[in-house]
Amino acid sequence: MKIHTKAYFLKTFFILLGTFMVSCVSREKMVYFQGDQSSIEKTVGTYAAVIQADDLLSITVFGRDGSATKIFNQESNIQTTGLVGRPMYLVDAEGNIEFPFLGKVKLAGLTRNEAIQYMKGLLSSEVIDPGVNINFENFRITVLGEVSNPGTYPVNYEKISLLEAIGMAGDLTINGVRQNVMVIREEGGERKFHRVDLTSDELFHSPVYYLAQNDVVYVEPNSNKINTSSNVFRNTSFAISIASFLITIIALITR
């Protein structure tokens, strides 16, 4: 009888302990994209990064007559990269670049495709049927806080979503607050803060679903992580107290 009673209380102890551990984090706080699944399948709309001050652009001009485009493809002294011979242009505080022969050209506020069409128009009087290629060369985002691999990541294309950025950083840790991810963005010379709930399907309609160059993503720690940081043994002590209490009860019953 004592053996069966002891086994029963041991089983109860482990069930309670397991329940305690599992109940620390609920499903609603962990699962992404909850809500109406049909809304998730809707397109999130088109997006294109807008050129802004301090962007570094590579601009290449080409056309039927290679000699006519040579003047526009001189290697820039502003900054060099591993791509030998590609001209680089830094967008100044007023949103302009200094382009050969054309002088100051304002590109800030334009998307890459808009800038290409604009440059084609400016060059059409100098080059027959001109072609222009423009790329962002310093597009990067930073992911900080409760992610597996925080850091700054270069982006080799002009569009990256918040989810892709989090994936590059190795996803959120179990202690990351998924309901209140912050995106810090410079807009019109002002720093603005956007809050995003990764567990809601409203994420796909957020103005920061697609990140802009130099955006900072911050994932704050949950209360468990904060409490653990201030008192690392708090939860452990609680579990040990429960264990000690149950073991004492078992010892008294089976004596």
Side-chain angles (χ1 to χ4, degrees):
M1 177 67 181
K2 290 183 178 181
I3 295 176
H4 289 297
T5 303
K6 184 177 182 180
Y8 171 77
F9 276 97
L10 284 173
K11 181 179 180 181
T12 302
F13 162 67
F14 285 114
I15 290 174
L16 290 173
L17 184 60
T19 302
F20 165 74
M21 298 300 292
V22 172
S23 62
C24 289
V25 182
S26 65
R27 178 184 184 278
E28 288 73 18
K29 292 183 178 180
M30 295 297 296
V31 178
Y32 295 163
F33 323 140
Q34 299 173 50
D36 181 8
Q37 295 298 312
S38 63
S39 66
I40 296 177
E41 297 173 0
K42 296 178 182 178
T43 58
V44 294
T46 58
Y47 171 84
V50 174
I51 297 171
Q52 50 189 253
D54 296 325
D55 280 345
L56 186 65
L57 307 174
S58 64
I59 304 178
T60 307
V61 180
F62 51 93
R64 297 179 185 177
D65 185 356
S67 61
T69 62
K70 188 175 181 180
I71 187 175
F72 303 110
N73 294 322
Q74 300 176 41
E75 186 172 355
S76 171
N77 293 322
I78 297 174
Q79 182 166 336
T80 58
T81 68
L83 297 173
V84 179
R86 176 178 288 187
M88 301 287 177
Y89 301 92
L90 183 66
V91 182
D92 65 22
E94 285 72 42
N96 302 309
I97 62 169
E98 190 70 34
F99 200 75
F101 192 78
L102 298 179
K104 284 188 177 295
V105 177
K106 189 175 182 64
L107 295 182
L110 303 178
T111 66
R112 189 180 73 89
N113 286 336
E114 289 171 343
I116 287 174
Q117 296 305 316
Y118 180 57
M119 291 294 293
K120 282 183 177 181
L122 295 178
L123 292 166
S124 60
S125 61
E126 309 297 330
V127 180
I128 299 175
D129 194 19
V132 177
N133 186 34
I134 300 178
N135 288 300
F136 291 93
E137 295 296 335
N138 64 340
F139 196 125
R140 63 194 64 200
I141 50 92
T142 300
V143 187
L144 301 174
E146 285 297 322
V147 292
S148 298
N149 301 299
T152 298
Y153 295 89
V155 179
N156 297 324
Y157 33 90
E158 62 177 300
K159 183 165 70 173
I160 180 172
S161 71
L162 175 59
L163 298 178
E164 289 173 316
I166 290 173
M168 291 171 66
D171 202 2
L172 277 66
T173 68
I174 194 171
N175 293 311
V177 177
R178 287 149 173 79
Q179 296 79 13
N180 196 28
V181 174
M182 179 189 297
V183 177
I184 305 171
R185 174 174 294 177
E186 294 282 346
E187 296 180 289
E190 297 181 5
R191 184 176 292 109
K192 297 187 178 180
F193 300 86
H194 301 265
R195 302 281 182 170
V196 179
D197 182 355
L198 298 183
T199 67
S200 170
D201 55 2
E202 289 301 314
L203 160 70
F204 298 94
H205 307 291
S206 168
V208 293
Y209 175 75
Y210 284 114
L211 299 179
Q213 56 270 50
N214 303 314
D215 276 359
V216 176
V217 179
Y218 173 68
V219 181
E220 66 181 69
N222 60 19
S223 57
N224 286 338
K225 178 63 179 290
I226 295 173
N227 292 336
T228 299
S229 298
S230 61
N231 185 0
V232 69
F233 297 110
R234 178 177 296 178
N235 290 336
T236 303
S237 298
F238 180 65
I240 292 174
S241 298
I242 293 177
S244 299
F245 173 76
L246 291 175
I247 290 172
T248 302
I249 296 296
I250 293 170
L252 291 174
I253 292 176
T254 58
R255 180 174 299 176

